Amino acid sequence: LALERTFIAVKPDGVQRRLVGQVIHRFERRGFKLVGLKLLQVSKNLLSQHYCQLTKKPFYPDLVEYMTSGPVVAMVWEGPNIVQTCRMMVGHTNPAEAHAGTIRADFSLHVSRNVVHASDSLEGAQREIMLWFDGHDLLKWDCIDQSVTSE
Ligand code: DAT
Ligand code: MG
């Protein structure tokens, strides 16, 4: 399996509800490696680039208001097949359709407050990582227990 990176964010509702630790715990216990992390207030400009495919959707104005309503925790995680695996761990966009055990099913009820973002493809992940992080804020480091599982 190829070593990949993905972009994960705890959205403002997740930060307000003090779910940051629980979200991080899901990816840590799976065995993925954290390579970038920051708390930030998202600008409308950054958000419009992040969600550039959604700007024509009827829910877009509400999405902007929600995503800029408070701090977001932005992260880059690394591991084998991580983009697809994190999408599975995050669950369906609409929490009502998400499987039990996924983050969205376990912590949310409505599509407009679904706690986390995860990149949906390798290309999307690369685009989002470049948009949210400077390269020098992503660390290359050796995880002592991961020589078999992800290198
Ligand atoms: P995902 O976050 O699962 O990648 P997406 O990229 O289609 O889903 O949409 C981005 C976000 O926009 C999503 O997490 C929540 C919001 N959203 C999507 N569909 C919506 C809808 N029908 N009503 C309200 N918000 C919606
Ligand atoms: Mg998406």
Side-chain angles (χ1 to χ4, degrees):
L1 287 169
L3 196 59
E4 300 175 355
R5 285 179 169 182
T6 196
F7 174 71
I8 301 285
V10 184
K11 297 178 178 183
D13 55 325
V15 176
Q16 290 288 347
R17 294 174 57 205
R18 301 178 174 84
L19 296 175
V20 174
Q22 300 210 52
V23 171
I24 289 175
H25 186 218
R26 301 277 176 132
F27 301 114
E28 279 193 319
R29 73 182 185 186
R30 183 79 190 226
F32 291 134
K33 186 201 286 186
L34 183 62
V35 295
L37 173 73
K38 64 181 171 185
L39 178 76
L40 75 162
Q41 171 66 50
V42 181
S43 67
K44 288 192 172 142
N45 178 44
L46 172 61
L47 196 75
S48 65
Q49 293 180 69
H50 176 73
Y51 281 140
C52 58
Q53 283 118 329
L54 300 178
T55 52
K56 303 252 154 51
K57 299 279 188 190
F59 58 80
Y60 185 74
D62 288 340
L63 181 62
V64 174
E65 198 175 333
Y66 156 53
M67 288 296 294
T68 59
S69 67
V72 165
V73 174
M75 297 176 275
V76 178
W77 289 84
E78 187 177 280
N81 200 36
I82 194 170
V83 174
Q84 191 188 346
T85 303
C86 284
R87 285 294 289 194
M88 283 182 346
M89 292 170 70
V90 163
H92 195 283
T93 304
N94 183 352
E97 292 179 50
H99 293 294
T102 63
I103 296 170
R104 284 169 171 168
D106 291 353
F107 296 114
S108 61
L109 285 169
H110 195 271
V111 67
S112 68
R113 297 289 184 275
N114 61 8
V115 181
V116 275
H117 168 83
S119 307
D120 67 1
S121 64
L122 205 49
E123 305 74 54
Q126 280 159 1
R127 185 182 74 81
E128 291 168 6
I129 290 167
M130 283 173 58
L131 182 63
W132 287 74
F133 282 89
D134 288 329
H136 59 255
D137 288 331
L138 302 176
L139 298 197
K140 225 175 150 47
W141 60 286
D142 291 325
C143 214
I144 55 169
D145 64 343
Q146 289 201 337
S147 56
V148 176
T149 55
S150 67
E151 305 291 348

